[in-house]
Amino acid sequence: MHAHQASTTHRDPRAWQSALDRALAAHGDAVALAHYPHVANAFPSSSPNPYTREHPLLDYRELKAWATRRGWHVRPAPEQASREERYRPPVRFTRQPSRGRQHPH
């Protein structure tokens, strides 16, 4: 699953969130993996990233709240990370069982 943005919106979290939302909505499987930089750009932490200036740290609290509202559980997937990604592992989205959830836009 890929959430791509043009360079003009590189640091616009709302644009990254919209792209991530569209990618998840189009994803047919119960489990989706997203690249850390894509998710971190959508949900950047206010703290600086001590490992790289290229990508912000990920604000998991905001990401979890957002994902839950859309019917997904979210967790890091360090077992899917390459050696280069160990400090920025992919993020696993697992679809929650349907229980009359609403999807706010």
Side-chain angles (χ1 to χ4, degrees):
M1 183 188 73
H2 296 281
H4 293 286
Q5 285 298 308
S7 60
T8 58
T9 59
H10 183 68
R11 296 291 181 208
D12 180 4
R14 288 186 193 167
W16 282 96
Q17 288 172 16
S18 292
L20 181 60
D21 196 25
R22 287 190 305 272
L24 287 170
H27 191 73
D29 293 338
V31 177
L33 287 177
H35 295 285
Y36 179 93
H38 298 170
V39 182
N41 283 322
F43 297 95
S45 171
S46 58
S47 301
N49 189 334
Y51 305 110
T52 179
R53 294 179 196 260
E54 186 180 349
H55 307 291
L57 280 178
L58 176 55
D59 184 339
Y60 268 107
R61 182 181 306 186
E62 288 297 318
L63 172 60
K64 282 183 168 186
W66 180 89
T68 298
R69 288 191 304 269
R70 284 157 174 76
W72 295 90
H73 290 290
V74 65
R75 296 193 54 112
E79 72 284 355
Q80 298 291 326
S82 67
R83 171 172 271 157
E84 296 81 31
E85 295 175 316
R86 74 176 174 187
Y87 295 117
R88 50 187 179 88
V91 178
R92 177 180 291 111
F93 290 84
T94 306
R95 203 177 301 273
Q96 296 176 4
S98 193
R99 288 181 284 157
R101 64 178 183 258
Q102 294 180 326
H103 179 82
H105 283 277

